[in-house]
């Protein structure tokens, strides 16, 4: 079983981050997440540990990989920049 460690100098932020990561992992059918444990660190922050078990693909599924995308709703999407129009050579000197 693998383990994840999430650390932050703000204990509340470390707990919130760990809860978000745990929800995202639990939404995936590829892993099983163990209980998260919070350990205070020496600098007034916190460390959150959680165990993650990778489920082996069954023979019936054929071992197809799945991709998981998590979209954040708490931040606006970055603005995309449009490219300049394409210009051909020889147009400037004509």
């Amino acid at each position: 079983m693998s383990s994840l460690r999430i650390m932050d100098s703000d204990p509340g932020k470390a707990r919130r981050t760990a809860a978000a990561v745990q929800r995202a992992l639990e939404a995936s059918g590829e892993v099983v997440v163990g209980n998260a444990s919070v350990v205070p660190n020496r600098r007034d922050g916190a460390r959150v540990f959680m165990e993650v078990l990778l489920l082996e693909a069954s023979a019936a599924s054929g071992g197809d990989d799945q991709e998981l995308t998590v979209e954040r709703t708490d931040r606006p999407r970055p603005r995309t920049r449009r490219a300049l129009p394409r210009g051909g050579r020889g147009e400037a000197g004509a």
Side-chain angles (χ1 to χ4, degrees), residues 72-94:
R72 294 184 62 154
T73 58
D74 62 335
R75 290 188 184 170
R77 289 182 171 223
R79 293 184 182 177
T80 57
R81 300 178 85 188
R82 294 186 180 179
L84 294 173
R86 189 172 179 183
R89 293 183 184 234
E91 291 180 25

Side-chain angles (χ1 to χ4, degrees), residues 43-64:
R43 297 183 185 122
D44 297 327
R47 292 176 289 175
V48 182
F49 293 93
M50 65 179 73
E51 293 182 336
V52 181
L53 174 64
L54 178 65
L55 297 175
E56 299 298 327
S58 66
S61 70
D64 293 335

Side-chain angles (χ1 to χ4, degrees), residues 30 57 61-68:
E30 297 181 55
S61 70
D64 293 335
D65 290 336
Q66 294 181 354
E67 185 174 312
L68 173 68

